[in-house]
């Protein structure tokens, strides 16, 4: 439920804050696809920081380069998220401004080193609202995450579904890469 998502995100925020994470700090997310990844996104934002989504399949040297390049304070993986289960959720979330950085997405690096593209809270909100309006999203809709979570397009899906309390379906990436299976899933959803 959305209440459970909120509680889990507030637990992650509490752990981040207790580790000295706060306004303007950046955290990598290398958690596997699923609800834990979404909880981490909201936990980082509740703590006042920006999230940097990475694939849990990236080579170690790429992850290290991105961490150094963006100045990430820490990395949230599945173990980090699991370690927040018994933490008391934070009551007060950090105050942010519209132009505070919320997300940094890294390019593929096909022309050399990956480059970070920063998105502030206002641009994420605007993008999510544009997608909601263009698609005619209502409470009865479902959002399917079939791109990798480090793709900017999935940020629309995460925030769009949250705005309307829509159903959010995260497909296993191995299914997405199998064209025949993906085609059938796409038709069903």
């Amino acid at each position: 439920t959305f209440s459970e998502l909120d509680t889990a995100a507030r637990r992650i925020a509490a752990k981040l804050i207790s580790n000295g994470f706060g306004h303007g700090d950046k955290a990598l997310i290398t958690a596997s696809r699923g609800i834990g990844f979404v909880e981490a996104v909201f936990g980082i934002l509740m703590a006042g920081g920006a999230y940097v989504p990475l694939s849990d399949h990236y080579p170690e040297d790429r992850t290290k380069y991105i961490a150094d390049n963006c100045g990430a304070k820490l990395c949230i993986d599945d173990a980090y998220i699991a370690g927040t289960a018994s933490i008391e959720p934070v009551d007060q979330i950090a105050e942010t401004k519209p132009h505070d950085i919320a997300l940094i997405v890294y390019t593929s690096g096909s022309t050399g080193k990956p480059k970070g593209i920063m998105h502030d809270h206002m641009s994420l909100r605007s993008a999510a609202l544009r997608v909601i309006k263009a698609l005619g999203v209502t409470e009865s809709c479902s959002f399917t995450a079939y791109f990798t979570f480090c793709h900017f397009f999935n940020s629309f899906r995460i925030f769009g579904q949250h705005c309307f309390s829509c159903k959010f379906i995260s497909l296993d990436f191995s299914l997405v890469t199998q064209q025949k299976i993906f085609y059938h899933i796409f038709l069903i959803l």
Side-chain angles (χ1 to χ4, degrees):
T1 67
F2 281 93
S3 176
E4 292 168 331
L5 170 63
D6 183 62
T7 300
R10 286 176 182 270
R11 285 187 173 122
I12 291 170
K15 184 172 181 177
L16 289 167
I17 293 165
S18 73
N19 290 333
F21 186 89
H23 187 265
D25 287 333
K26 291 135 191 126
L28 304 179
I29 305 177
T30 60
S32 54
R33 293 170 59 93
I35 191 66
F37 193 99
V38 177
E39 292 166 354
V41 167
F42 286 110
I44 291 165
L45 295 175
M46 287 176 176
Y51 72 101
V52 184
L54 301 180
S55 171
D56 56 345
H57 296 23
Y58 279 172
E60 189 177 327
D61 60 334
R62 180 181 175 93
T63 299
K64 182 175 177 356
Y65 169 79
I66 292 171
D68 292 343
N69 183 261
C70 74
K73 193 162 189 174
L74 53 89
C75 181
I76 298 178
D77 58 12
D78 292 326
Y80 188 98
I81 295 166
T84 64
S86 62
I87 292 176
E88 187 67 29
V90 68
D91 288 328
Q92 184 73 25
I93 63 171
E95 187 175 319
T96 57
K97 295 181 175 50
H99 293 293
D100 288 344
I101 301 302
L103 164 66
I104 304 173
V105 177
Y106 273 80
T107 63
S108 65
S110 59
T111 60
K113 296 280 187 192
K115 294 164 189 70
I117 299 151
M118 296 183 275
H119 302 275
D120 61 23
H121 288 269
M122 182 180 284
S123 70
L124 281 181
R125 180 183 175 277
S126 296
L129 291 176
R130 278 193 310 273
V131 168
I132 287 167
K133 184 177 179 182
L135 298 177
V137 175
T138 66
E139 295 84 2
S140 63
C141 292
S142 296
F143 278 81
T144 307
Y146 45 83
F147 288 103
T148 173
F149 271 9
C150 53
H151 192 286
F152 182 63
F153 193 69
N154 264 337
S155 65
F156 301 156
R157 294 174 181 281
I158 290 170
F159 295 109
Q161 65 84 27
H162 197 70
C163 289
F164 276 98
S165 302
C166 300
K167 186 175 183 180
F168 185 75
I169 304 164
S170 175
L171 298 178
D172 185 290
F173 202 62
S174 65
L175 294 176
V176 175
T177 58
Q178 297 177 38
Q179 187 177 11
K180 231 179 186 175
I181 294 172
F182 177 69
Y183 177 74
H184 290 291
I185 291 171
F186 192 73
L187 288 178
I188 293 167
L189 301 173

